[in-house]
């Protein structure tokens, strides 16, 4: 199949919306990462998302809307919880996904048979235009092959899914660069399932008490049930083996420099670059969590484009604010392998 590379012009959005309405797949720019969009009310189209990505069928999808009224209009939920309205008021359109009780119109393929549904209203104008023009809610996971880093440019989507999907809309570099924050209202108090640009502190300001799922920062124990199916899977990983390294500036530099000549790459901060003697990629200035988030996935993709890299040592980000989201993705990319130089 030829994959069209489209722009966000009205004419191209119309083309993309036609593909969606015929049950096809479109790579959609959003402010978080690129999504792989299909008509959420068409079970066959939804199933082809799983096929194109190689995504496990028990990992549910987020439904994207372009107006809060879409929830009722398309029967996405049985009722809209009052807490969802408060979150929408503060964070929508934007990088927050809210899980609520599922309405009867949502096919089980979207929710992997769960009785809850994940809903997001993105702020990216290209995403909003595609959803409105399609006149459908759009189910969309990240537009990468399952297991690889999420795509933050149209080229990343083409690299992973070119030839398997109808079109990609190029809406530029994703502003946030990490997937949305996911909070469920199906527990009392609500639970943060995946950290993102909207932080735990910000959610607590609106909702009061919010629990942090233990699987956000730690590995699920053997046989422990995942509060969100996506937590079970290997994620975001480049081909090289990644380790998170805890240690101060000096200890980190000495550690990676002792590995010269071993196919090692260091994922570090701008400030480290001058002292590091192995190949490196920086995530930005130390402590600038937004910049780290913005750069992380393209950095992970660049690792695989650097010849002969077998091992990556990544500086361990801090877990404050948006840093928690960066840590959550990196610890998964590292398969929870941590080297602690403080010990
Ligand atoms: P992605 O679409 O790849 O950004 O992933 C969406 C994330 O939301 C995955 O981790 C899913 O497991 C999670 N998710 C979607 N729907 C639900 C739901 N109804 N209950 C719990 N987690 C969900
Ligand atoms: Mg994903």
């Amino acid at each position: 199949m030829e994959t069209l590379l489209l722009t966000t012009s009205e004419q191209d959005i119309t083309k993309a919306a036609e593909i969606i309405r015929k049950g096809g797949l479109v790579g959609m720019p959003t402010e978080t990462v690129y999504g792989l969009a299909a008509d959420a009310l068409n079970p066959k189209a939804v199933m082809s998302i799983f096929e194109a990505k190689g995504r496990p069928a028990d990992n549910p999808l987020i439904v994207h809307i372009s107006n809060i009224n879409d929830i009722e209009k398309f029967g996405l939920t049985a009722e809209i919880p009052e807490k969802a309205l408060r979150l929408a008021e503060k964070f929508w359109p934007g990088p927050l996904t809210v899980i609520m009780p599922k309405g009867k119109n949502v096919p089980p393929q979207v929710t992997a048979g769960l009785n809850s549904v994940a809903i997001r209203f993105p702020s990216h104008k290209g995403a909003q235009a595609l959803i409105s023009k399609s006149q459908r809610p759009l189910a969309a996971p990240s537009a990468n092959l399952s297991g690889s880093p999420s795509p933050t440019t149209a080229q990343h989507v083409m690299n992973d899914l070119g030839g398997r999907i109808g079109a990609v809309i190029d809406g530029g570099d994703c502003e946030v660069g990490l997937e949305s924050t996911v909070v469920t209202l199906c527990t009392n108090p609500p639970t943060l399932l995946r950290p993102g640009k909207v932080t735990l502190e910000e959610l607590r300001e609106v909702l009061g008490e919010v629990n942090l799922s233990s699987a956000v920062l730690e590995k699920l124990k053997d046989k422990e049930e995942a509060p969100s199916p996506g937590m079970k899977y290997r994620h975001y990983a480049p081909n090289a083996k990644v380790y998170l390294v805890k240690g101060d500036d000096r200890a980190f530099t000495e550690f990676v420099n002792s590995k010269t000549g071993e196919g090692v790459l260091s994922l570090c901060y701008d400030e480290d670059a001058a002292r590091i003697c192995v190949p490196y990629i920086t995530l930005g200035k130390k402590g600038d969590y937004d910049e780290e988030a913005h750069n992380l996935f393209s950095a992970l993709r660049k690792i695989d484009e650097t010849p002969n890299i077998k091992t990556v040592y990544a500086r361990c980000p801090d877990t404050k604010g948006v840093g928690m989201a960066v840590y959550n993705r990196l610890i998964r990319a590292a398969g929870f392998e941590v080297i602690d130089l403080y010990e």
Side-chain angles (χ1 to χ4, degrees), residues 188-202:
N188 195 11
T191 306
L192 174 63
L193 297 177
R194 179 171 74 186
K197 169 77 178 156
V198 174
T199 64
L200 181 60
E201 295 81 359
E202 288 175 313

Side-chain angles (χ1 to χ4, degrees), residues 60-61 76 99-103 106 110-118 184 186:
L61 307 177
L76 301 182
I99 296 178
M100 25 192 150
K102 176 180 117 56
V106 182
V110 172
T111 61
L114 297 174
N115 53 16
S116 56
V117 60
T184 181
C186 297

Side-chain angles (χ1 to χ4, degrees), residues 9-194:
S9 71
E10 210 183 320
Q11 199 186 1
D12 276 8
I13 294 288
T14 305
K15 263 191 214 161
E18 273 164 21
I19 294 174
I20 295 281
R21 290 182 67 89
K22 286 186 186 142
L25 302 182
V26 173
M28 167 176 79
T30 85
E31 69 278 19
T32 58
V33 300
Y34 274 73
L36 181 59
D39 177 354
L41 304 181
N42 176 342
K44 250 190 170 164
V46 169
M47 275 163 67
S48 64
I49 294 180
F50 289 91
E51 229 167 85
K53 278 186 59 113
R55 182 176 172 106
D58 67 348
N59 194 3
L61 307 177
I62 296 170
V63 177
H64 295 73
I65 56 174
S66 60
N67 188 313
I68 178 122
N69 298 330
D70 287 352
I71 298 180
E72 210 184 326
K73 181 171 149 194
F74 295 113
L76 301 182
T77 63
E79 58 180 297
I80 306 179
E82 183 270 332
K83 285 177 179 154
L85 293 174
R86 270 195 268 156
L87 290 172
E89 171 77 24
K90 174 88 185 182
F91 300 112
W92 279 0
L96 176 69
T97 296
V98 183
I99 296 178
M100 25 192 150
K102 176 180 117 56
K104 58 181 182 330
N105 288 359
V106 182
Q109 288 82 356
V110 172
T111 61
L114 297 174
N115 53 16
S116 56
V117 60
I119 301 179
R120 183 163 98 84
F121 176 0
S123 63
H124 193 290
K125 296 296 171 215
Q128 291 182 357
L130 180 65
I131 302 164
S132 310
K133 200 73 186 173
S134 305
Q135 296 180 288
R136 289 283 193 283
L138 300 185
S142 49
N144 52 299
L145 288 173
S146 207
S148 71
S150 299
T152 55
T153 66
Q155 189 58 50
H156 293 160
V157 182
M158 273 294 186
N159 293 349
D160 274 21
L161 299 174
R164 296 177 183 224
I165 63 178
V168 181
I169 300 170
D170 189 347
D173 235 23
C174 298
E175 187 191 329
V176 176
L178 294 182
E179 304 89 341
S180 57
T181 302
V182 179
V183 65
T184 181
L185 300 180
C186 297
T187 58
N188 195 11
T191 306
L192 174 63
L193 297 177
R194 179 171 74 186

